[in-house]
Amino acid sequence: EAGVTQFPSHSVIEKGQTVTLRCDPISGHDNLYWYRRVMGKEIKFLLHFVKESKQDESGMPNNRFLAERTGGTYSTLKVQPAELEDSGVYFCASSPRGISTDTQYFGPGTRLTVL
Amino acid sequence: AQSVAQPEDQVNVAEGNPLTVKCTYSVSGNPYLFWYVQYPNRGLQFLLKYITGDNLVKGSYGFEAEFNKSQTSFHLKKPSALVSDSALYFCAVSDHGSSNTGKLIFGQGTTLQVKP
């Protein structure tokens, strides 16, 4: 069974540019989460999809971030325009039921560097 | 608000010695606790979790964790460390407030360095 995959593994862009990150969850997992780790700090929640619907987007930092999950399969996270403080590692995770006792399975992350 | 603290940025241990990576938590209600490990250039890998029941939880790669309700702790342990255990370890608690969506709240991470 394939795990969670993320693309690209690393992205380097200039301030003001746009970047789109992609996450493919484990097949059959309706629940998809995005997290971010900035500057060696703790990993922070960004948002949670149940199928194609945003269940919780309380962690999205501002309106420069747009997440989508059309069709309830893969998800994209677009940053437009990117700022220096957006640099960090973006993780995606998926789980089958989306409840508090579920294990979330993480992808390898996308390291975003904004220059 | 729910939170997790990992008081040590780095833990150093000699190969073959027991290791402990500390984690304390603050939650309202019953805590659901997780440990993840990140090896260099890899993603987060699930190690173990505590939901209910026995306070000693066994997980992958010989790791275990002890849930202590009175001390609000969930320390990660291994009886005999390996050099290959050197990695970044994250403790997390599941936010099971009114939404019960399972989002995780992480500690800052602890780097474990096992020396030969």
Side-chain angles (χ1 to χ4, degrees), chain A residues 3-107:
Chain A
V4 177
T5 58
Q6 293 186 245
F7 182 83
S9 58
H10 197 170
S11 179
V12 181
I13 61 172
E14 293 191 351
K15 176 182 173 180
Q17 290 186 322
T18 298
V19 63
T20 300
L21 314 180
R22 172 170 170 148
C23 168
D24 287 76
I26 292 172
S27 178
H29 282 192
D30 287 340
N31 294 271
L32 188 150
Y33 302 82
W34 283 98
Y35 294 86
R36 177 175 74 169
R37 187 175 192 230
V38 174
M39 291 286 290
K41 295 186 178 179
E42 68 270 26
I43 300 167
K44 286 195 172 180
F45 167 81
L46 295 178
L47 87 159
H48 170 209
F49 281 101
V50 178
K51 296 184 180 179
E52 67 276 7
S53 299
K54 293 176 185 175
Q55 184 78 4
D56 181 355
E57 51 184 331
S58 62
M60 294 287 265
N62 51 61
N63 59 10
R64 295 186 293 104
F65 289 75
L66 175 64
E68 295 180 321
R69 193 182 181 196
T70 306
T73 54
Y74 70 91
S75 174
T76 58
L77 180 64
K78 180 189 288 188
V79 184
Q80 180 182 28
E83 298 289 346
L84 298 179
E85 63 264 25
D86 301 332
S87 296
V89 181
Y90 290 76
F91 292 103
C92 175
S94 72
S95 72
R97 294 174 297 170
I99 58 175
S100 301
T101 55
D102 252 7
T103 297
Q104 292 181 28
Y105 297 92
F106 282 78

Side-chain angles (χ1 to χ4, degrees), chain A residues 33 35 37 40-43 45 48 55-56 58 91 98-109, chain B residues 32 34 36 38 42-44 46 49 51 88 90 94-96 99-104 106-109:
Chain A
Y33 302 82
Y35 294 86
R37 187 175 192 230
K41 295 186 178 179
E42 68 270 26
I43 300 167
F45 167 81
H48 170 209
Q55 184 78 4
D56 181 355
S58 62
F91 292 103
I99 58 175
S100 301
T101 55
D102 252 7
T103 297
Q104 292 181 28
Y105 297 92
F106 282 78
Chain B
Y32 303 142
F34 299 77
Y36 286 85
Q38 185 179 19
R42 302 282 295 277
L44 291 168
F46 169 73
K49 67 181 178 182
I51 303 301
L88 182 57
F90 289 97
S94 181
D95 184 359
H96 60 294
S99 62
N100 192 28
T101 62
K103 70 181 180 184
L104 295 173
F106 284 88
Q108 291 165 297

Side-chain angles (χ1 to χ4, degrees), chain B residues 1-7 21-35 50-51 55 65-76 91-96 105-108:
Chain B
Q2 302 184 97
S3 64
V4 174
Q6 294 180 242
V21 183
K22 295 180 180 178
C23 172
T24 59
Y25 64 88
S26 174
V27 302
S28 55
N30 294 322
Y32 303 142
L33 297 156
F34 299 77
W35 274 103
Y50 172 82
I51 303 301
N55 290 343
E66 185 171 10
F67 171 67
N68 188 316
K69 188 173 183 178
S70 63
Q71 296 185 7
T72 62
S73 67
F74 189 55
H75 300 332
L76 182 70
C91 182
V93 65
S94 181
D95 184 359
H96 60 294
I105 299 165
F106 284 88
Q108 291 165 297

